[in-house]
Amino acid sequence: MAATQQVPAAVLSDENKATFEELTAAAKEKKALEPKVDAKEEAITHGFIINRHKSYVSLQILDQHNWSGNPVPSYPQTIVVSQDPIEFKHQGPLPEGSKGGVVYADGVDSTARKWLVAFDLLKKKVYVEAGPIGPVDWNVIEVRLDASGNSSVSVDPIFGGRAEAGNNGDIVVAWFSN
């Protein structure tokens, strides 16, 4: 995805920072109600994806990769346009932890856009890309994820896609828009 550009984390909008904080608080409440998991055995990422596509197009899963752990039960197949996020859970064994990535697209033709979010729970890292549809080199994505921080923004100057995400250590929130 050479056409995308990473934007400094400071570009995260105040609205999206507030949304992230709100979703993080709600996820912590939900997490407190779940059966307790032995923290010595497993790391669990609670993920939320929000589709804010201006043309009200649902996003379809295109690809996924799991370096450590797996989504439980699976990543959502479709992300509809909504202000409410779609939730997923990713579990991984310790010491490796929960580390994975998923790609969604708004179509399959040459003008389609794709949005990618990759996360590493234990390192509190997240990486996003927005850009034209095409193959994903998960080795490159892992290098970029390892070099990232706890928030990430990507803007596609060709098709106008934008991806933003934050990771607080057990909750990952990503926004996809155009």
Side-chain angles (χ1 to χ4, degrees):
M1 297 185 82
T4 64
Q5 64 186 60
Q6 283 301 117
V7 179
V11 176
L12 287 171
S13 70
D14 289 339
E15 175 187 347
N16 285 347
K17 286 179 188 175
T19 301
F20 176 72
E21 290 170 6
E22 180 183 315
L23 291 171
T24 299
K28 284 182 179 180
E29 288 177 21
K30 187 179 229 184
K31 187 177 170 186
L33 299 174
E34 291 182 356
K36 301 296 180 204
V37 174
D38 187 353
K40 296 176 185 173
E41 296 177 11
E42 195 168 46
I44 300 174
T45 298
H46 293 269
F48 298 88
I49 299 174
I50 303 169
N51 175 3
R52 294 192 173 152
H53 201 290
K54 292 177 187 171
S55 299
Y56 299 99
V57 174
S58 293
L59 304 178
Q60 303 297 320
I61 194 166
L62 185 66
D63 195 9
Q64 66 176 296
H65 187 81
N66 301 291
W67 292 281
S68 175
N70 289 291
V72 178
S74 63
Y75 290 113
Q77 294 299 302
T78 302
I79 307 289
V80 299
V81 174
S82 175
Q83 291 300 316
D84 297 324
I86 303 297
E87 184 177 6
F88 70 88
K89 193 183 318 184
H90 191 277
Q91 296 176 221
L94 293 175
E96 298 86 3
S98 169
K99 184 177 180 183
V102 62
V103 180
Y104 288 90
D106 62 4
V108 294
D109 61 19
S110 63
T111 61
R113 295 176 190 89
K114 71 179 176 186
W115 291 266
L116 174 147
V117 60
F119 51 87
D120 186 330
L121 176 71
L122 295 182
K123 293 181 181 175
K124 296 184 182 178
K125 294 184 180 248
V126 67
Y127 174 77
V128 293
E129 284 187 1
I133 199 165
V136 175
D137 183 336
W138 289 105
N139 293 322
V140 170
I141 298 302
E142 184 175 29
V143 168
R144 292 176 180 170
L145 173 61
D146 290 343
S148 70
N150 66 354
S151 64
S152 180
V153 176
S154 175
V155 177
D156 172 17
I158 296 172
F159 293 127
R162 183 176 179 93
E164 300 181 61
N167 179 350
N168 79 344
D170 62 351
I171 298 168
V172 172
V173 179
W175 299 265
F176 301 147
S177 62
N178 64 335

